[in-house]
């Protein structure tokens, strides 16, 4: 079989030219520099009185503030289980409003039974992919961290990465896993100096850089060809007919 010759000249008959856009470096540039501090929301996955994931979340908060960020930490006490109540519950609304306010997030979970905790998952499950025309997580940066009671593991951070991708977030390459966390924090809940603490600094530094790089550009970066097509009135009508809401 002959190899296909370059350039391709056989066209793209399946492409909707009305919704096709060629990405450009000019469009990637933010329309105007943002003058407010980068905004970070931190979620952690434990309700224990002495919670190592909370201690790690606080260390991240201190670092992000030192790097010029504005930080909010969500307290999951009182948050109901997903689907156990309606989304107008005050703790659910607080979580969603904080997510919309944020430009970057940090998710910190203990590892329990080889994975993230139910407390952590419940917080993510209460964040919808979309709420009206607003997407509370899409386009926001994300850093993931975990603490373990035993030897070092990456099960929780890997699961958090899957969730971050599902929530259409920009998950940074770096991550932190703190093994035998009971040895890494002092009685006051402060993380002890050492390579594990240095890695947390690395993660926070990278998160701030990625957030500064992408905020103000996220709406364009996550604008998709398929979604532009779906916004067409005739396309929405066809989808509604396919799923039985209206007759063709």
């Amino acid at each position: 079989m002959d190899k296909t010759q370059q350039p391709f000249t056989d066209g793209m008959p399946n492409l909707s030219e009305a919704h096709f856009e060629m990405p450009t470096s000019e469009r990637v540039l933010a329309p105007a520099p943002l003058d407010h501090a980068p905004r970070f929301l931190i979620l952690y996955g434990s309700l224990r009185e002495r919670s190592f994931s909370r201690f790690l979340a606080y260390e991240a908060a201190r670092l992000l503030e030192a790097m010029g960020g504005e930080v909010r930490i969500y307290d999951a006490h009182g948050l109901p289980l997903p689907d156990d109540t309606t989304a107008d519950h005050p703790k659910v609304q607080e979580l969603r409003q904080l997510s919309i306010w944020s430009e970057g997030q940090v998710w910190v979970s203990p590892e329990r039974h080889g994975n993230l905790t139910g407390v952590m998952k419940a917080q993510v499950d209460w964040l919808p992919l979309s709420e009206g025309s607003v997407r509370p997580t899409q386009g926001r940066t994300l850093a993931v961290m975990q603490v373990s009671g035993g030897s070092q593991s990456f099960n929780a951070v890997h699961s958090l990465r899957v969730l971050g991708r599902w929530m259409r977030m920009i998950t940074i390459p770096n991550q932190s896993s703190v093994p035998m966390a009971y040895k890494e924090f002092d009685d006051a809940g402060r993380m002890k100096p050492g390579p594990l603490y240095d890695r947390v600094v690395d993660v926070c530094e990278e998160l701030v850089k990625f957030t500064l790089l992408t905020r103000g550009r996220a709406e364009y970066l996550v604008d998709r060809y398929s979604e532009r097509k779906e916004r067409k009135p005739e396309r929405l009508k066809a989808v509604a007919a396919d799923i039985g809401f209206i007759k063709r």
Side-chain angles (χ1 to χ4, degrees), residues 156-175:
V157 287
H158 290 339
S159 293
L160 290 172
R161 284 188 176 279
V162 171
L163 286 173
R165 183 171 68 247
W166 189 262
M167 302 303 289
R168 300 179 175 183
M169 302 179 78
I170 304 167
T171 309
I172 67 171
N174 215 336
Q175 62 188 24

Side-chain angles (χ1 to χ4, degrees), residues 38-194:
R39 298 167 177 166
F40 298 102
L41 169 63
I42 302 181
L43 309 180
Y44 61 93
S46 172
L47 302 179
R48 291 179 175 178
E49 182 177 350
R50 183 167 173 80
S51 165
F52 296 110
S53 63
R54 185 177 75 249
F55 294 161
L56 185 56
Y58 285 8
E59 291 294 348
R62 295 182 185 101
L63 289 164
L64 292 171
E65 285 190 344
M67 295 175 189
E70 183 180 356
V71 180
R72 300 285 184 270
I73 302 177
Y74 180 73
D75 180 0
H77 282 89
L79 179 69
L81 289 172
D83 303 325
D84 193 38
T85 186
T86 56
D88 59 358
H89 188 282
K91 290 296 293 186
V92 176
Q93 286 299 305
E94 178 190 357
L95 174 61
R96 293 186 178 187
Q97 289 165 11
L98 284 171
S99 185
I100 293 169
W101 166 86
S102 71
E103 296 167 326
Q105 297 188 16
V106 182
W107 294 353
V108 187
S109 180
E111 182 173 310
R112 180 174 295 172
H113 301 316
N115 215 312
L116 54 85
T117 62
V119 174
M120 188 75 239
K121 184 63 161 56
Q123 293 175 79
V124 179
D125 283 348
W126 271 119
L127 293 172
L129 283 174
S130 63
E131 193 169 25
S133 60
V134 178
R135 298 185 184 273
T137 55
Q138 178 168 281
R140 288 158 178 79
T141 53
L142 173 65
V144 295
M145 303 185 191
Q146 76 167 75
V147 294
S148 303
S151 58
Q152 192 167 45
S153 169
F154 298 92
N155 291 332
V157 287
H158 290 339
S159 293
L160 290 172
R161 284 188 176 279
V162 171
L163 286 173
R165 183 171 68 247
W166 189 262
M167 302 303 289
R168 300 179 175 183
M169 302 179 78
I170 304 167
T171 309
I172 67 171
N174 215 336
Q175 62 188 24
S176 172
S177 173
V178 181
M180 293 183 281
Y182 58 91
K183 292 184 178 181
E184 298 301 325
F185 294 87
D186 61 24
D187 292 341
R190 296 304 305 269
M191 194 170 185
K192 299 175 183 178

